[in-house]
Amino acid sequence: MADTPQLNTIIDAASTGIISVDARGSILYCNAQASTILDYDVAGTIGEHIAVSYPKMTQPVNQCLETGETRLGRHIQTAGKELVLDVTPILEGAAIKGAVCCIKDMNEFEAAALQLESYKRLNKQFETVFNASSDGIWVLDNTGAIIDINSTAQNYIGIKAEAVIGKNITYLVEKGYMDR
């Protein structure tokens, strides 16, 4: 286990804002990213009750402290920003000792969702071209392992993709499906 100064350095390096509270809701720790996301000097809030410093976080934090249940994906708006808040209990056996609040800027989630949607659209376009081509197409990695082959290639050599995917291209030469 890392000592406290090391652990604080690690937590401060996280891309997520982290605020921890004790079982009564008093703030124990805030990392540097929490200050950045909340645009607020969170270090000055140590010892204050969560309701005083971050009133919009109070309900999910209190629910977590009362029930011991994690609260994920809570949307809160503060300081002109839309944030996503996850609250996880700190448990010692069955006893609730506190909670950890993880805060992310909603814009980061939206950017990731757009990137994922763009990737899905490009992948669908690639698959359409790959499968509609009248040419036999082989996709190999840098070691010669077969990643995929289209239906034209399968029909041309008379083998199913499932039989060769993951094998090295030399396998097809050795089995006589292709010449050198």
Side-chain angles (χ1 to χ4, degrees), residues 74-152:
R74 301 297 173 136
H75 294 245
I76 60 172
Q77 195 163 13
T78 183
K81 292 183 180 180
E82 290 194 43
L83 306 174
V84 177
L85 172 67
D86 295 336
V87 185
T88 308
I90 300 170
L91 301 172
E92 193 173 281
I96 301 168
K97 295 294 185 177
V100 175
C101 305
C102 296
I103 309 157
K104 281 273 201 189
D105 191 321
M106 182 63 104
N107 290 331
E108 291 179 31
F109 281 101
E110 290 172 356
L114 286 173
Q115 207 170 20
L116 179 60
E117 204 51 48
S118 176
Y119 169 79
K120 285 180 180 179
R121 190 171 41 257
L122 287 172
N123 193 44
K124 186 173 175 114
Q125 290 171 353
F126 167 76
E127 284 182 21
T128 301
V129 170
F130 182 75
N131 291 321
S133 176
S134 59
D135 294 325
I137 301 174
W138 296 78
V139 181
L140 309 173
D141 71 10
N142 64 340
T143 67
I146 300 166
I147 296 172
D148 205 356
I149 66 174
N150 70 354
S151 58
T152 303

Side-chain angles (χ1 to χ4, degrees), residues 45-78:
T45 65
I46 304 297
E48 290 182 356
H49 193 276
I50 193 83
V52 173
S53 301
Y54 310 107
K56 301 217 174 167
M57 295 183 198
T58 305
Q59 182 184 13
V61 169
N62 285 343
Q63 288 173 341
C64 179
L65 291 173
E66 290 168 12
T67 66
E69 295 176 3
T70 299
R71 304 288 180 204
L72 298 177
R74 301 297 173 136
H75 294 245
I76 60 172
Q77 195 163 13
T78 183

